[in-house]
Amino acid sequence: MADAKIIDGKAFAAGLRARVADGVAALKASHGVTPGLAVVLVGEDPASQVYVRSKERALVELGMNSFDHHEPADMAESDLLALIDRLNADPAVHGILVQLPLPKHIDTQKVLARIVPEKDADGFHVVNAGLLATGQPGAIVPCTPLGSLLLIRDTLGRDLKGKRALVLGRSNIVGKPMAQLLLQADCTVTMAHSRTADLPEECRRADILVAAVGRPEMVRGDWIKAGATVIDVGINRVAAAEPGKTRLVGDVAFDEAVKVAGAITPVPGGVGPMTIACLMLNTLAAACRAAGAPVPAEAGVGAAL
Ligand SMILES: NC(=O)C1=CN([C@@H]2O[C@H](COP(=O)(O)OP(=O)(O)OC[C@H]3O[C@@H](n4cnc5c(N)ncnc54)[C@H](OP(=O)(O)O)[C@@H]3O)[C@@H](O)[C@H]2O)C=CC1
Ligand SMILES: Nc1nc(=O)c2c([nH]1)NC[C@@H]1CN(c3ccc(C(=O)N[C@@H](CCC(=O)O)C(=O)O)cc3)C=[N+]21
């Protein structure tokens, strides 16, 4: 069989960012509003610093305002909550992103709950999770699942009804919202996790397989149904062949999977760039809603399906 189509998330994300840039320019022209995202980073985690820098770069490139808050690792929880209160009240800030993971002494759920839902650019607030789960309009959809869905639709078309989807991983930020989106698209959805019995067999049934486990190359080629669409969310840094060097791999053994799947996202260059592009989209959408302007179609769940 021919090798799988490689889904070019980097290229799709570049196109999406260009559409967001157009939307930003239009909102400025029509309402005099420049979308702004506040990015809060607590501590010095090197991976988080890399992600935060690429988010800030994307904001500036798209004509949006970036408000950076880099705070010490020992910041008191009460001070972080007070910072969020200030950002909630600031009319120039349309979106707020608190980079995860937070240091252990801070209660993540308490912090996420403090962000007003309309400014929750990540879509992690319980109100947005609840709107998504109940299929209501106006939910801000988490960036990684939204980006993954856009890639699935670009590969398979809008009509996903009846397809068997397997979501591997049940985190609040990836697995659960991914399953909600696929369910709304009329897929038959299975969620798998560390307690799943016979994971390879569950995976082999899937027409659409989304892997978000954080285990390097765990999903093998013989776990994949011939012709399936494979979305690899995993970002794992492992030792490279060259001593002292590292490289990124996904949760899927790409070299094996590419021989079986119908289409597959690479790591890097797959879901990662879509996450950042969707964050830009969510920020634009939040600014549009605040200004009473029409919201870009791709950001709405209903419109996205
Ligand atoms: N590309 C991108 O933009 C993004 C990438 N990521 C990456 O995606 C991956 C997942 O992230 P996230 O959802 O936050 O991860 P979490 O660690 O929060 O969740 C991992 C999930 O995988 C399950 N799991 C772990 N080990 C196994 C196993 N051996 N067999 C079956 N299931 C297992 C866990 O099951 P259980 O619940 O039973 O413990 C859990 O549900 C990571 O590699 C992360 O770096 C994350 C966000 C964005
Ligand atoms: N509040 C919050 N929101 C997040 O969305 C969030 C977070 N916290 N914490 C960490 C995870 C991880 N994440 C990624 C974003 C982009 C890439 C990305 O662009 N990856 C590139 C490669 C980057 C590299 O080379 O390191 C790629 O896959 O091509 C990866 C991972 C967002 N996350």
Side-chain angles (χ1 to χ4, degrees):
M1 213 174 79
D3 275 8
K5 176 194 165 203
I6 315 274
I7 301 171
D8 191 345
K10 200 174 166 189
F12 192 98
L16 177 54
R17 287 200 307 274
R19 296 194 289 284
V20 171
D22 290 346
V24 170
L27 185 66
K28 278 185 197 172
S30 62
H31 291 75
V33 170
T34 301
L37 178 71
V39 179
V40 181
L41 172 62
V42 183
E44 310 295 331
D45 176 57
S48 292
Q49 287 180 341
V50 171
Y51 296 144
V52 164
R53 266 200 300 276
S54 50
K55 286 165 190 173
E56 289 164 351
R57 204 181 317 119
L59 285 164
V60 174
E61 277 171 18
L62 273 49
M64 299 197 259
N65 287 328
S66 165
F67 304 101
D68 310 336
H69 294 272
H70 293 188
E71 305 292 337
D74 61 357
M75 180 188 213
E77 184 185 272
S78 56
D79 289 335
L80 179 55
L81 294 172
L83 170 59
I84 290 172
D85 288 342
R86 289 197 296 280
L87 298 172
N88 282 338
D90 184 342
V93 173
H94 303 101
I96 301 168
L97 177 143
V98 178
Q99 185 70 21
L100 302 181
L102 285 167
K104 291 209 176 359
H105 68 280
I106 295 178
D107 179 345
T108 299
Q109 288 308 328
K110 196 169 172 181
V111 170
L112 296 179
R114 193 70 159 235
I115 299 169
V116 290
E118 310 80 67
K119 295 193 180 188
D120 169 36
D122 266 322
F124 294 167
H125 193 285
V126 287
V127 165
N128 285 311
L131 289 171
L132 176 61
T134 53
Q136 296 187 67
I140 299 179
V141 180
C143 305
T144 301
L146 178 57
S148 300
L149 180 72
L150 294 174
L151 292 180
I152 293 167
R153 284 180 40 186
D154 190 52
T155 305
L156 295 174
R158 289 176 79 96
D159 183 9
L160 304 176
K161 84 166 109 31
K163 295 204 181 296
R164 287 182 202 269
L166 186 288
V167 180
L168 179 48
R170 56 174 161 180
S171 71
N172 290 336
I173 67 173
V174 187
K176 283 179 195 162
M178 186 74 246
Q180 295 294 356
L181 288 174
L182 292 165
L183 196 57
Q184 285 203 23
D186 294 330
C187 292
T188 302
V189 181
T190 304
M191 298 202 67
H193 45 76
S194 67
R195 306 302 166 93
T196 294
D198 204 349
L199 189 53
E201 191 50 39
E202 293 292 345
C203 291
R204 274 193 286 269
R205 275 198 277 273
D207 303 308
I208 299 169
L209 174 59
V210 181
V213 261
R215 301 269 181 257
E217 302 181 318
M218 189 181 92
V219 176
R220 313 307 308 193
D222 64 1
W223 296 23
I224 292 168
K225 180 177 178 175
T229 299
V230 178
I231 304 295
D232 190 352
V233 176
I235 303 270
N236 307 291
R237 197 163 278 287
V238 298
E242 206 178 322
K245 292 263 167 83
T246 63
R247 64 189 176 103
L248 286 187
V249 298
D251 291 339
V252 178
F254 183 88
D255 294 347
E256 296 175 14
V258 77
K259 296 194 164 60
V260 188
I264 183 168
T265 59
V267 177
V271 174
M274 290 300 293
T275 297
I276 296 192
C278 287
L279 177 65
M280 303 297 115
L281 178 64
N282 280 353
T283 303
L284 169 63
C288 288
R289 278 193 205 97
V295 174
E298 282 166 306
V301 192
L305 295 176

PDB file of all heavy atoms in Angstrom, residues 176-209:
ATOM      1  N   LYS A 176     -10.636  15.163  26.503  1.00  0.00           N
ATOM      2  CA  LYS A 176     -12.090  15.334  26.691  1.00  0.00           C
ATOM      3  C   LYS A 176     -12.699  16.298  25.677  1.00  0.00           C
ATOM      4  O   LYS A 176     -13.695  15.951  25.039  1.00  0.00           O
ATOM      5  CB  LYS A 176     -12.395  15.774  28.123  1.00  0.00           C
ATOM      6  CG  LYS A 176     -12.310  14.635  29.127  1.00  0.00           C
ATOM      7  CD  LYS A 176     -12.600  15.157  30.535  1.00  0.00           C
ATOM      8  CE  LYS A 176     -12.178  14.148  31.585  1.00  0.00           C
ATOM      9  NZ  LYS A 176     -12.055  14.812  32.907  1.00  0.00           N
ATOM     10  N   PRO A 177     -12.137  17.510  25.499  1.00  0.00           N
ATOM     11  CA  PRO A 177     -12.758  18.390  24.481  1.00  0.00           C
ATOM     12  C   PRO A 177     -12.652  17.827  23.064  1.00  0.00           C
ATOM     13  O   PRO A 177     -13.554  18.041  22.243  1.00  0.00           O
ATOM     14  CB  PRO A 177     -11.995  19.716  24.623  1.00  0.00           C
ATOM     15  CG  PRO A 177     -10.802  19.439  25.468  1.00  0.00           C
ATOM     16  CD  PRO A 177     -11.107  18.224  26.286  1.00  0.00           C
ATOM     17  N   MET A 178     -11.593  17.074  22.759  1.00  0.00           N
ATOM     18  CA  MET A 178     -11.485  16.441  21.439  1.00  0.00           C
ATOM     19  C   MET A 178     -12.647  15.487  21.222  1.00  0.00           C
ATOM     20  O   MET A 178     -13.270  15.462  20.153  1.00  0.00           O
ATOM     21  CB  MET A 178     -10.142  15.684  21.361  1.00  0.00           C
ATOM     22  CG  MET A 178      -9.840  15.107  19.996  1.00  0.00           C
ATOM     23  SD  MET A 178      -9.353  16.394  18.834  1.00  0.00           S
ATOM     24  CE  MET A 178     -10.663  16.390  17.671  1.00  0.00           C
ATOM     25  N   ALA A 179     -12.932  14.684  22.249  1.00  0.00           N
ATOM     26  CA  ALA A 179     -14.037  13.729  22.147  1.00  0.00           C
ATOM     27  C   ALA A 179     -15.373  14.464  21.958  1.00  0.00           C
ATOM     28  O   ALA A 179     -16.221  14.035  21.175  1.00  0.00           O
ATOM     29  CB  ALA A 179     -14.077  12.850  23.394  1.00  0.00           C
ATOM     30  N   GLN A 180     -15.546  15.587  22.663  1.00  0.00           N
ATOM     31  CA  GLN A 180     -16.793  16.371  22.513  1.00  0.00           C
ATOM     32  C   GLN A 180     -16.957  16.859  21.079  1.00  0.00           C
ATOM     33  O   GLN A 180     -18.057  16.803  20.516  1.00  0.00           O
ATOM     34  CB  GLN A 180     -16.790  17.573  23.463  1.00  0.00           C
ATOM     35  CG  GLN A 180     -16.815  17.233  24.932  1.00  0.00           C
ATOM     36  CD  GLN A 180     -18.107  16.564  25.380  1.00  0.00           C
ATOM     37  OE1 GLN A 180     -19.050  16.407  24.605  1.00  0.00           O
ATOM     38  NE2 GLN A 180     -18.136  16.133  26.627  1.00  0.00           N
ATOM     39  N   LEU A 181     -15.885  17.354  20.495  1.00  0.00           N
ATOM     40  CA  LEU A 181     -15.970  17.868  19.117  1.00  0.00           C
ATOM     41  C   LEU A 181     -16.310  16.747  18.135  1.00  0.00           C
ATOM     42  O   LEU A 181     -17.141  16.929  17.233  1.00  0.00           O
ATOM     43  CB  LEU A 181     -14.645  18.529  18.712  1.00  0.00           C
ATOM     44  CG  LEU A 181     -14.339  19.877  19.365  1.00  0.00           C
ATOM     45  CD1 LEU A 181     -12.939  20.340  18.982  1.00  0.00           C
ATOM     46  CD2 LEU A 181     -15.365  20.931  18.945  1.00  0.00           C
ATOM     47  N   LEU A 182     -15.689  15.592  18.309  1.00  0.00           N
ATOM     48  CA  LEU A 182     -15.944  14.473  17.392  1.00  0.00           C
ATOM     49  C   LEU A 182     -17.364  13.941  17.574  1.00  0.00           C
ATOM     50  O   LEU A 182     -18.029  13.558  16.604  1.00  0.00           O
ATOM     51  CB  LEU A 182     -14.903  13.370  17.613  1.00  0.00           C
ATOM     52  CG  LEU A 182     -13.483  13.757  17.182  1.00  0.00           C
ATOM     53  CD1 LEU A 182     -12.452  12.799  17.758  1.00  0.00           C
ATOM     54  CD2 LEU A 182     -13.384  13.796  15.652  1.00  0.00           C
ATOM     55  N   LEU A 183     -17.830  13.958  18.813  1.00  0.00           N
ATOM     56  CA  LEU A 183     -19.211  13.540  19.100  1.00  0.00           C
ATOM     57  C   LEU A 183     -20.199  14.478  18.407  1.00  0.00           C
ATOM     58  O   LEU A 183     -21.175  14.035  17.791  1.00  0.00           O
ATOM     59  CB  LEU A 183     -19.402  13.565  20.618  1.00  0.00           C
ATOM     60  CG  LEU A 183     -20.590  12.843  21.223  1.00  0.00           C
ATOM     61  CD1 LEU A 183     -20.595  11.373  20.824  1.00  0.00           C
ATOM     62  CD2 LEU A 183     -20.515  12.967  22.749  1.00  0.00           C
ATOM     63  N   GLN A 184     -19.938  15.776  18.499  1.00  0.00           N
ATOM     64  CA  GLN A 184     -20.820  16.746  17.832  1.00  0.00           C
ATOM     65  C   GLN A 184     -20.790  16.597  16.327  1.00  0.00           C
ATOM     66  O   GLN A 184     -21.746  16.971  15.642  1.00  0.00           O
ATOM     67  CB  GLN A 184     -20.430  18.169  18.214  1.00  0.00           C
ATOM     68  CG  GLN A 184     -20.867  18.488  19.613  1.00  0.00           C
ATOM     69  CD  GLN A 184     -21.025  19.967  19.852  1.00  0.00           C
ATOM     70  OE1 GLN A 184     -21.217  20.746  18.919  1.00  0.00           O
ATOM     71  NE2 GLN A 184     -20.940  20.359  21.095  1.00  0.00           N
ATOM     72  N   ALA A 185     -19.685  16.041  15.816  1.00  0.00           N
ATOM     73  CA  ALA A 185     -19.582  15.807  14.377  1.00  0.00           C
ATOM     74  C   ALA A 185     -20.171  14.441  14.004  1.00  0.00           C
ATOM     75  O   ALA A 185     -19.984  13.977  12.879  1.00  0.00           O
ATOM     76  CB  ALA A 185     -18.125  15.889  13.940  1.00  0.00           C
ATOM     77  N   ASP A 186     -20.896  13.831  14.944  1.00  0.00           N
ATOM     78  CA  ASP A 186     -21.600  12.563  14.697  1.00  0.00           C
ATOM     79  C   ASP A 186     -20.681  11.363  14.501  1.00  0.00           C
ATOM     80  O   ASP A 186     -21.079  10.369  13.877  1.00  0.00           O
ATOM     81  CB  ASP A 186     -22.566  12.682  13.501  1.00  0.00           C
ATOM     82  CG  ASP A 186     -23.708  13.644  13.790  1.00  0.00           C
ATOM     83  OD1 ASP A 186     -24.083  13.756  14.971  1.00  0.00           O
ATOM     84  OD2 ASP A 186     -24.208  14.284  12.849  1.00  0.00           O
ATOM     85  N   CYS A 187     -19.467  11.447  15.024  1.00  0.00           N
ATOM     86  CA  CYS A 187     -18.631  10.250  15.068  1.00  0.00           C
ATOM     87  C   CYS A 187     -19.116   9.350  16.212  1.00  0.00           C
ATOM     88  O   CYS A 187     -19.776   9.803  17.144  1.00  0.00           O
ATOM     89  CB  CYS A 187     -17.175  10.624  15.347  1.00  0.00           C
ATOM     90  SG  CYS A 187     -16.397  11.505  14.003  1.00  0.00           S
ATOM     91  N   THR A 188     -18.757   8.088  16.137  1.00  0.00           N
ATOM     92  CA  THR A 188     -18.962   7.169  17.257  1.00  0.00           C
ATOM     93  C   THR A 188     -17.649   7.171  18.028  1.00  0.00           C
ATOM     94  O   THR A 188     -16.623   6.706  17.525  1.00  0.00           O
ATOM     95  CB  THR A 188     -19.298   5.760  16.749  1.00  0.00           C
ATOM     96  OG1 THR A 188     -20.471   5.857  15.940  1.00  0.00           O
ATOM     97  CG2 THR A 188     -19.534   4.804  17.905  1.00  0.00           C
ATOM     98  N   VAL A 189     -17.688   7.759  19.227  1.00  0.00           N
ATOM     99  CA  VAL A 189     -16.439   8.108  19.910  1.00  0.00           C
ATOM    100  C   VAL A 189     -16.133   7.142  21.058  1.00  0.00           C
ATOM    101  O   VAL A 189     -16.999   6.861  21.882  1.00  0.00           O
ATOM    102  CB  VAL A 189     -16.508   9.553  20.461  1.00  0.00           C
ATOM    103  CG1 VAL A 189     -15.201   9.927  21.151  1.00  0.00           C
ATOM    104  CG2 VAL A 189     -16.822  10.544  19.348  1.00  0.00           C
ATOM    105  N   THR A 190     -14.900   6.667  21.097  1.00  0.00           N
ATOM    106  CA  THR A 190     -14.400   5.884  22.219  1.00  0.00           C
ATOM    107  C   THR A 190     -13.266   6.658  22.863  1.00  0.00           C
ATOM    108  O   THR A 190     -12.451   7.249  22.154  1.00  0.00           O
ATOM    109  CB  THR A 190     -13.856   4.520  21.728  1.00  0.00           C
ATOM    110  OG1 THR A 190     -14.884   3.841  21.005  1.00  0.00           O
ATOM    111  CG2 THR A 190     -13.388   3.653  22.883  1.00  0.00           C
ATOM    112  N   MET A 191     -13.238   6.681  24.188  1.00  0.00           N
ATOM    113  CA  MET A 191     -12.118   7.308  24.895  1.00  0.00           C
ATOM    114  C   MET A 191     -11.289   6.236  25.567  1.00  0.00           C
ATOM    115  O   MET A 191     -11.828   5.415  26.305  1.00  0.00           O
ATOM    116  CB  MET A 191     -12.633   8.287  25.934  1.00  0.00           C
ATOM    117  CG  MET A 191     -13.410   9.412  25.304  1.00  0.00           C
ATOM    118  SD  MET A 191     -13.449  10.830  26.389  1.00  0.00           S
ATOM    119  CE  MET A 191     -11.739  11.295  26.376  1.00  0.00           C
ATOM    120  N   ALA A 192     -10.000   6.271  25.315  1.00  0.00           N
ATOM    121  CA  ALA A 192      -9.099   5.290  25.921  1.00  0.00           C
ATOM    122  C   ALA A 192      -8.111   6.008  26.830  1.00  0.00           C
ATOM    123  O   ALA A 192      -7.857   7.209  26.665  1.00  0.00           O
ATOM    124  CB  ALA A 192      -8.360   4.519  24.825  1.00  0.00           C
ATOM    125  N   HIS A 193      -7.584   5.279  27.807  1.00  0.00           N
ATOM    126  CA  HIS A 193      -6.708   5.878  28.820  1.00  0.00           C
ATOM    127  C   HIS A 193      -5.857   4.792  29.447  1.00  0.00           C
ATOM    128  O   HIS A 193      -5.839   3.655  28.940  1.00  0.00           O
ATOM    129  CB  HIS A 193      -7.564   6.623  29.863  1.00  0.00           C
ATOM    130  CG  HIS A 193      -8.746   5.827  30.303  1.00  0.00           C
ATOM    131  ND1 HIS A 193      -8.643   4.782  31.169  1.00  0.00           N
ATOM    132  CD2 HIS A 193     -10.043   5.890  29.917  1.00  0.00           C
ATOM    133  CE1 HIS A 193      -9.825   4.239  31.342  1.00  0.00           C
ATOM    134  NE2 HIS A 193     -10.707   4.890  30.578  1.00  0.00           N
ATOM    135  N   SER A 194      -5.206   5.117  30.563  1.00  0.00           N
ATOM    136  CA  SER A 194      -4.230   4.168  31.112  1.00  0.00           C
ATOM    137  C   SER A 194      -4.885   2.904  31.674  1.00  0.00           C
ATOM    138  O   SER A 194      -4.205   1.916  31.915  1.00  0.00           O
ATOM    139  CB  SER A 194      -3.385   4.844  32.188  1.00  0.00           C
ATOM    140  OG  SER A 194      -4.183   5.156  33.301  1.00  0.00           O
ATOM    141  N   ARG A 195      -6.181   2.918  31.900  1.00  0.00           N
ATOM    142  CA  ARG A 195      -6.858   1.730  32.442  1.00  0.00           C
ATOM    143  C   ARG A 195      -7.623   0.971  31.358  1.00  0.00           C
ATOM    144  O   ARG A 195      -8.375   0.042  31.679  1.00  0.00           O
ATOM    145  CB  ARG A 195      -7.829   2.130  33.572  1.00  0.00           C
ATOM    146  CG  ARG A 195      -7.184   2.937  34.675  1.00  0.00           C
ATOM    147  CD  ARG A 195      -6.024   2.138  35.291  1.00  0.00           C
ATOM    148  NE  ARG A 195      -5.195   3.016  36.109  1.00  0.00           N
ATOM    149  CZ  ARG A 195      -5.361   3.190  37.409  1.00  0.00           C
ATOM    150  NH1 ARG A 195      -6.318   2.571  38.039  1.00  0.00           N
ATOM    151  NH2 ARG A 195      -4.569   4.000  38.076  1.00  0.00           N
ATOM    152  N   THR A 196      -7.472   1.364  30.114  1.00  0.00           N
ATOM    153  CA  THR A 196      -8.172   0.689  29.023  1.00  0.00           C
ATOM    154  C   THR A 196      -7.614  -0.717  28.827  1.00  0.00           C
ATOM    155  O   THR A 196      -6.396  -0.904  28.782  1.00  0.00           O
ATOM    156  CB  THR A 196      -8.019   1.504  27.720  1.00  0.00           C
ATOM    157  OG1 THR A 196      -8.701   2.743  27.897  1.00  0.00           O
ATOM    158  CG2 THR A 196      -8.598   0.767  26.517  1.00  0.00           C
ATOM    159  N   ALA A 197      -8.528  -1.696  28.710  1.00  0.00           N
ATOM    160  CA  ALA A 197      -8.121  -3.077  28.446  1.00  0.00           C
ATOM    161  C   ALA A 197      -7.908  -3.220  26.937  1.00  0.00           C
ATOM    162  O   ALA A 197      -8.744  -2.787  26.152  1.00  0.00           O
ATOM    163  CB  ALA A 197      -9.199  -4.034  28.936  1.00  0.00           C
ATOM    164  N   ASP A 198      -6.830  -3.816  26.548  1.00  0.00           N
ATOM    165  CA  ASP A 198      -6.491  -4.071  25.147  1.00  0.00           C
ATOM    166  C   ASP A 198      -6.549  -2.817  24.270  1.00  0.00           C
ATOM    167  O   ASP A 198      -7.364  -2.701  23.347  1.00  0.00           O
ATOM    168  CB  ASP A 198      -7.374  -5.172  24.550  1.00  0.00           C
ATOM    169  CG  ASP A 198      -6.665  -5.843  23.369  1.00  0.00           C
ATOM    170  OD1 ASP A 198      -5.628  -5.307  22.916  1.00  0.00           O
ATOM    171  OD2 ASP A 198      -7.132  -6.890  22.899  1.00  0.00           O
ATOM    172  N   LEU A 199      -5.673  -1.905  24.595  1.00  0.00           N
ATOM    173  CA  LEU A 199      -5.574  -0.642  23.861  1.00  0.00           C
ATOM    174  C   LEU A 199      -5.293  -0.842  22.366  1.00  0.00           C
ATOM    175  O   LEU A 199      -5.950  -0.207  21.530  1.00  0.00           O
ATOM    176  CB  LEU A 199      -4.481   0.196  24.536  1.00  0.00           C
ATOM    177  CG  LEU A 199      -4.301   1.632  24.134  1.00  0.00           C
ATOM    178  CD1 LEU A 199      -5.611   2.392  24.219  1.00  0.00           C
ATOM    179  CD2 LEU A 199      -3.258   2.275  25.036  1.00  0.00           C
ATOM    180  N   PRO A 200      -4.350  -1.729  21.992  1.00  0.00           N
ATOM    181  CA  PRO A 200      -4.104  -1.915  20.549  1.00  0.00           C
ATOM    182  C   PRO A 200      -5.372  -2.295  19.787  1.00  0.00           C
ATOM    183  O   PRO A 200      -5.632  -1.773  18.705  1.00  0.00           O
ATOM    184  CB  PRO A 200      -3.073  -3.052  20.516  1.00  0.00           C
ATOM    185  CG  PRO A 200      -2.371  -2.967  21.826  1.00  0.00           C
ATOM    186  CD  PRO A 200      -3.408  -2.511  22.812  1.00  0.00           C
ATOM    187  N   GLU A 201      -6.193  -3.166  20.382  1.00  0.00           N
ATOM    188  CA  GLU A 201      -7.416  -3.607  19.705  1.00  0.00           C
ATOM    189  C   GLU A 201      -8.415  -2.451  19.574  1.00  0.00           C
ATOM    190  O   GLU A 201      -9.066  -2.289  18.531  1.00  0.00           O
ATOM    191  CB  GLU A 201      -8.031  -4.779  20.490  1.00  0.00           C
ATOM    192  CG  GLU A 201      -9.139  -5.511  19.777  1.00  0.00           C
ATOM    193  CD  GLU A 201      -8.778  -5.918  18.350  1.00  0.00           C
ATOM    194  OE1 GLU A 201      -7.621  -6.323  18.118  1.00  0.00           O
ATOM    195  OE2 GLU A 201      -9.652  -5.822  17.470  1.00  0.00           O
ATOM    196  N   GLU A 202      -8.544  -1.628  20.620  1.00  0.00           N
ATOM    197  CA  GLU A 202      -9.423  -0.449  20.534  1.00  0.00           C
ATOM    198  C   GLU A 202      -8.952   0.473  19.412  1.00  0.00           C
ATOM    199  O   GLU A 202      -9.749   0.994  18.629  1.00  0.00           O
ATOM    200  CB  GLU A 202      -9.429   0.327  21.869  1.00  0.00           C
ATOM    201  CG  GLU A 202     -10.071  -0.389  23.037  1.00  0.00           C
ATOM    202  CD  GLU A 202     -11.585  -0.574  22.884  1.00  0.00           C
ATOM    203  OE1 GLU A 202     -12.201   0.082  22.026  1.00  0.00           O
ATOM    204  OE2 GLU A 202     -12.141  -1.408  23.621  1.00  0.00           O
ATOM    205  N   CYS A 203      -7.653   0.694  19.343  1.00  0.00           N
ATOM    206  CA  CYS A 203      -7.103   1.592  18.325  1.00  0.00           C
ATOM    207  C   CYS A 203      -7.369   1.056  16.919  1.00  0.00           C
ATOM    208  O   CYS A 203      -7.703   1.817  16.008  1.00  0.00           O
ATOM    209  CB  CYS A 203      -5.597   1.783  18.531  1.00  0.00           C
ATOM    210  SG  CYS A 203      -5.200   2.729  20.010  1.00  0.00           S
ATOM    211  N   ARG A 204      -7.229  -0.254  16.760  1.00  0.00           N
ATOM    212  CA  ARG A 204      -7.377  -0.863  15.423  1.00  0.00           C
ATOM    213  C   ARG A 204      -8.777  -0.713  14.849  1.00  0.00           C
ATOM    214  O   ARG A 204      -8.978  -0.883  13.659  1.00  0.00           O
ATOM    215  CB  ARG A 204      -7.004  -2.355  15.483  1.00  0.00           C
ATOM    216  CG  ARG A 204      -5.513  -2.602  15.298  1.00  0.00           C
ATOM    217  CD  ARG A 204      -5.210  -4.065  15.037  1.00  0.00           C
ATOM    218  NE  ARG A 204      -5.347  -4.856  16.242  1.00  0.00           N
ATOM    219  CZ  ARG A 204      -4.337  -5.108  17.091  1.00  0.00           C
ATOM    220  NH1 ARG A 204      -3.126  -4.676  16.847  1.00  0.00           N
ATOM    221  NH2 ARG A 204      -4.543  -5.823  18.178  1.00  0.00           N
ATOM    222  N   ARG A 205      -9.767  -0.395  15.692  1.00  0.00           N
ATOM    223  CA  ARG A 205     -11.134  -0.204  15.196  1.00  0.00           C
ATOM    224  C   ARG A 205     -11.355   1.201  14.647  1.00  0.00           C
ATOM    225  O   ARG A 205     -12.373   1.476  14.024  1.00  0.00           O
ATOM    226  CB  ARG A 205     -12.135  -0.442  16.329  1.00  0.00           C
ATOM    227  CG  ARG A 205     -12.502  -1.899  16.517  1.00  0.00           C
ATOM    228  CD  ARG A 205     -13.793  -2.017  17.313  1.00  0.00           C
ATOM    229  NE  ARG A 205     -13.518  -1.914  18.744  1.00  0.00           N
ATOM    230  CZ  ARG A 205     -13.201  -2.961  19.500  1.00  0.00           C
ATOM    231  NH1 ARG A 205     -13.124  -4.156  18.981  1.00  0.00           N
ATOM    232  NH2 ARG A 205     -12.966  -2.809  20.784  1.00  0.00           N
ATOM    233  N   ALA A 206     -10.425   2.103  14.899  1.00  0.00           N
ATOM    234  CA  ALA A 206     -10.700   3.529  14.670  1.00  0.00           C
ATOM    235  C   ALA A 206     -10.428   3.978  13.236  1.00  0.00           C
ATOM    236  O   ALA A 206      -9.370   3.714  12.678  1.00  0.00           O
ATOM    237  CB  ALA A 206      -9.856   4.360  15.634  1.00  0.00           C
ATOM    238  N   ASP A 207     -11.416   4.688  12.672  1.00  0.00           N
ATOM    239  CA  ASP A 207     -11.210   5.385  11.395  1.00  0.00           C
ATOM    240  C   ASP A 207     -10.421   6.678  11.635  1.00  0.00           C
ATOM    241  O   ASP A 207      -9.719   7.160  10.752  1.00  0.00           O
ATOM    242  CB  ASP A 207     -12.556   5.744  10.758  1.00  0.00           C
ATOM    243  CG  ASP A 207     -13.438   4.522  10.555  1.00  0.00           C
ATOM    244  OD1 ASP A 207     -12.952   3.542   9.965  1.00  0.00           O
ATOM    245  OD2 ASP A 207     -14.606   4.548  11.011  1.00  0.00           O
ATOM    246  N   ILE A 208     -10.658   7.260  12.814  1.00  0.00           N
ATOM    247  CA  ILE A 208      -9.936   8.476  13.205  1.00  0.00           C
ATOM    248  C   ILE A 208      -9.290   8.191  14.563  1.00  0.00           C
ATOM    249  O   ILE A 208      -9.988   7.831  15.508  1.00  0.00           O
ATOM    250  CB  ILE A 208     -10.900   9.680  13.336  1.00  0.00           C
ATOM    251  CG1 ILE A 208     -11.581   9.976  11.996  1.00  0.00           C
ATOM    252  CG2 ILE A 208     -10.167  10.914  13.865  1.00  0.00           C
ATOM    253  CD1 ILE A 208     -12.741  10.971  12.103  1.00  0.00           C
ATOM    254  N   LEU A 209      -7.990   8.313  14.628  1.00  0.00           N
ATOM    255  CA  LEU A 209      -7.267   8.035  15.877  1.00  0.00           C
ATOM    256  C   LEU A 209      -6.541   9.306  16.309  1.00  0.00           C
ATOM    257  O   LEU A 209      -5.695   9.817  15.568  1.00  0.00           O
ATOM    258  CB  LEU A 209      -6.267   6.898  15.635  1.00  0.00           C
ATOM    259  CG  LEU A 209      -5.302   6.529  16.761  1.00  0.00           C
ATOM    260  CD1 LEU A 209      -6.038   6.104  18.021  1.00  0.00           C
ATOM    261  CD2 LEU A 209      -4.371   5.408  16.324  1.00  0.00           C
TER     262      LEU A 209
END
